[in-house]
Amino acid sequence: MTNLFTDRLWNRIEPIWKSYLEHPFVKGLGEGWLEKDKFKHYMKQDYVYLIEYCRLFALGSAKAQDLKTMTKFAKLLHGTLDMEMELHRQYAARFGISHDELEATEAGATTTAYTSYMLNIAQLGGIENVVASVLACAWSYSFIGKELASWPGAIDHEFYGEWVKMYSSDEFTELAEDCMNLINEMAEGKPERELAKLEEIVVKTSYFEYMFWDMAEKQEEWPVKLYTQSRLIKPM
Ligand SMILES: Cc1ncc(CN)c(N)n1
């Protein structure tokens, strides 16, 4: 039996990812009681997060050494722009937010930190760094989507059901599996020193995923308070 790199990664990330399911934002989404304002904040931040995430797939295509890999990244880019982000555009319409307004969302601190980390790691290394940067994003949403789909009433919920349906769909599962297959192919034959570096990227991005859920729960943008002469003038 072959040892898959994703099996090794799972041992590290399982406790982190299981904690997403306990997080009030994810729990509220799956059980259907999440406040709509929190979801609206999440959806807007997630849209601008996904724009940067798309750049990573474009970077993967640019770094690819063969057409098969280039095509895989192009498919991931298209799937995100066209399928995943369409879900956000449809939710935005339900909130009365136009496409332009959605796209013009100012990225908050966590969104900026997370996307900057991924883009920096991906620029610094080879194509395996690009895949390691996006892996937790695609795989953990597939994990959450499938888990929530098994919760009573989640998939049929009148508001959050569409979210659960999309992230548990065959189409999204295929995108996540493409990323898993890519990292397994790229890990083959690599020395332990390089595998450990890739593992750290997946662990860090898994922490960022937790922080993103937390940012959404707290409706955080930039957690900065401006004072003048000890008086609070603007909670940002
Ligand atoms: C923050 C975050 N991480 C991952 C995904 C799934 N592409 C997402 N939509 N948003």
Side-chain angles (χ1 to χ4, degrees):
M1 216 178 85
T2 48
N3 279 333
L4 293 176
F5 187 52
T6 43
D7 291 339
R8 161 182 173 162
L9 291 173
W10 180 248
N11 287 333
R12 279 291 297 282
I13 58 189
E14 186 183 7
I16 313 170
W17 291 16
K18 291 230 164 120
S19 67
Y20 303 156
L21 304 172
E22 306 277 330
H23 192 280
F25 188 94
V26 178
K27 237 181 141 97
L29 202 160
E31 292 178 356
W33 46 260
L34 177 69
E35 280 172 45
K36 297 248 171 78
D37 265 359
K38 291 184 180 177
F39 186 77
K40 181 176 163 189
H41 182 76
Y42 158 78
M43 197 260 311
K44 289 175 73 188
Q45 284 299 312
D46 204 44
Y47 199 72
V48 288
Y49 164 89
L50 287 173
I51 296 173
E52 302 309 310
Y53 177 69
C54 281
R55 280 187 221 290
L56 285 150
F57 292 133
L59 205 55
S61 258
K63 288 193 183 210
Q65 300 291 322
D66 56 76
L67 282 183
K68 186 173 153 254
T69 312
M70 193 180 265
T71 307
K72 274 259 161 68
F73 277 103
K75 181 185 154 201
L76 287 159
L77 173 59
H78 179 71
T80 309
L81 283 170
D82 219 51
M83 176 183 65
E84 187 173 3
M85 291 170 81
E86 182 55 26
L87 176 82
H88 294 59
R89 287 186 285 269
Q90 285 178 10
Y91 271 114
R94 290 171 84 169
F95 284 118
I97 301 169
S98 70
H99 291 180
D100 286 348
E101 208 185 321
L102 185 61
E103 199 173 327
T105 303
E106 196 199 330
T110 305
T111 311
T112 305
Y114 188 2
T115 55
S116 303
Y117 172 76
M118 289 195 295
L119 284 162
N120 185 39
I121 288 287
Q123 303 272 10
L124 279 177
I127 193 162
E128 64 283 358
N129 271 25
V130 181
V131 187
S133 302
V134 295
L135 185 68
C137 321
W139 184 11
S140 79
Y141 267 55
S142 178
F143 165 78
I144 295 170
K146 289 222 160 60
E147 177 67 28
L148 297 196
S150 73
W151 291 7
I155 215 154
D156 300 318
H157 189 273
E158 52 84 24
F159 194 78
Y160 298 121
E162 292 308 313
W163 193 97
V164 179
K165 249 179 241 157
M166 205 286 287
Y167 285 108
S168 61
S169 67
D170 289 346
E171 292 79 4
F172 192 81
T173 306
E174 200 179 310
L175 295 183
E177 283 174 355
D178 280 347
C179 291
M180 293 166 78
N181 292 336
L182 278 169
I183 199 83
N184 284 328
E185 282 166 26
M186 285 169 194
E188 251 174 51
K190 284 224 184 316
E192 174 52 34
R193 177 177 40 84
E194 287 182 36
L195 294 179
K197 276 192 188 161
L198 295 177
E199 184 176 320
E200 276 321 301
I201 298 169
V202 178
V203 170
K204 288 263 161 59
T205 46
S206 296
Y207 290 153
F208 270 122
E209 285 294 331
Y210 186 93
M211 290 162 65
F212 205 89
W213 295 122
D214 219 41
M215 169 281 294
E217 173 64 21
K218 294 173 183 149
Q219 294 177 263
E220 233 166 48
E221 288 176 0
W222 291 88
V224 174
K225 293 188 176 86
L226 299 186
Y227 285 90
T228 183
Q229 293 171 345
S230 306
R231 278 189 37 235
L232 178 65
I233 53 167
K234 191 172 189 268
M236 289 173 78

